[in-house]
Amino acid sequence: MPDTFTTHVLNVTTGRTETVLDLTDDCTQFLARASHGRDGLLNIFVPHATAGIAILETGAGSDDDLLTALQTLLPADDRWRHRHGTPGHGRDHVLPALVPPHATLPVLRGRLELGTWQSVCLVDTNVDNRDRQVRLSFLG
C-alpha cells in the first residue's frame, strides 16, 4: 500500500523580473508519481516571505494583468517601512497578504481538479531573490 502522504520540493528560478510562473505541469507530474490514482488533496506551499501561489489563467494576458494590478496596489517606491534590498522591496513582504503562500486543491482519481482555464502559479515580485522552493504535498 503506497503512503498516504507524499511530499516533494521543487527548486525554481524566477529570474530578475517580476513573474507569474506556471507550475501546473510540475503539479501534474508530481501527482502521477505520488497519488497512485487516488483521490486526495494537493497542497502547494512556497516558504518565502515575498512570494505567493495563485490559481489563474495564464497565456492570455491574465498573468500580466495580475502583475500590473499588484504594481498598482503595491507600488515599488519609498513608502514602505521594510527598506532593505532594492527600492520598494517592502512591497514584496506585503504580497503574501494578497497572494497567499499556499493553495490546497482537490485531486480526483490521481488528477488535479482545475477548471478549464485554471493554472497553478508561483507569483514572485521580489527581484532580489530569484531562487525559490515550492513544496508539493499529496494527502490521499
Side-chain angles (χ1 to χ4, degrees), residues 2-10 23-44 103-114 120 135-140:
D3 292 336
T4 59
F5 180 80
T6 307
T7 190
H8 174 72
V9 174
L10 297 173
L23 300 174
T24 309
D25 287 343
D26 296 296
C27 293
T28 300
Q29 291 171 20
F30 168 70
L31 288 171
R33 295 187 311 271
S35 72
H36 303 283
R38 296 188 312 260
D39 292 352
L41 296 171
L42 174 66
N43 181 265
I44 306 101
T104 301
L105 303 171
V107 176
L108 298 178
R109 295 172 302 286
R111 297 177 56 96
L112 191 56
E113 275 293 297
L114 289 172
V120 178
R135 179 170 295 280
L136 305 177
S137 301
F138 174 74
L139 178 64

Side-chain angles (χ1 to χ4, degrees), residues 5 16-17 40 53 68 79 114 126:
F5 180 80
R16 298 264 182 229
T17 60
I53 300 294
T68 299
R79 74 183 69 202
L114 289 172
N126 182 357

Side-chain angles (χ1 to χ4, degrees), residues 15-18 86 89 92 124-130 132:
R16 298 264 182 229
T17 60
E18 297 179 5
T86 55
H89 174 65
D92 301 324
D124 189 358
T125 59
N126 182 357
V127 299
D128 293 333
N129 182 4
R130 61 187 189 152
R132 299 298 187 170

Side-chain angles (χ1 to χ4, degrees), residues 51-96:
I53 300 294
I55 310 301
L56 73 152
E57 179 180 8
T58 60
S62 297
D63 37 357
D64 290 332
D65 289 342
L66 174 59
L67 291 174
T68 299
L70 290 171
Q71 290 163 357
T72 301
L73 292 169
L74 305 171
D77 58 22
D78 65 357
R79 74 183 69 202
W80 308 101
R81 290 186 181 118
H82 188 106
R83 294 191 183 265
H84 75 83
T86 55
H89 174 65
R91 73 186 281 262
D92 301 324
H93 289 273
V94 177
L95 173 76

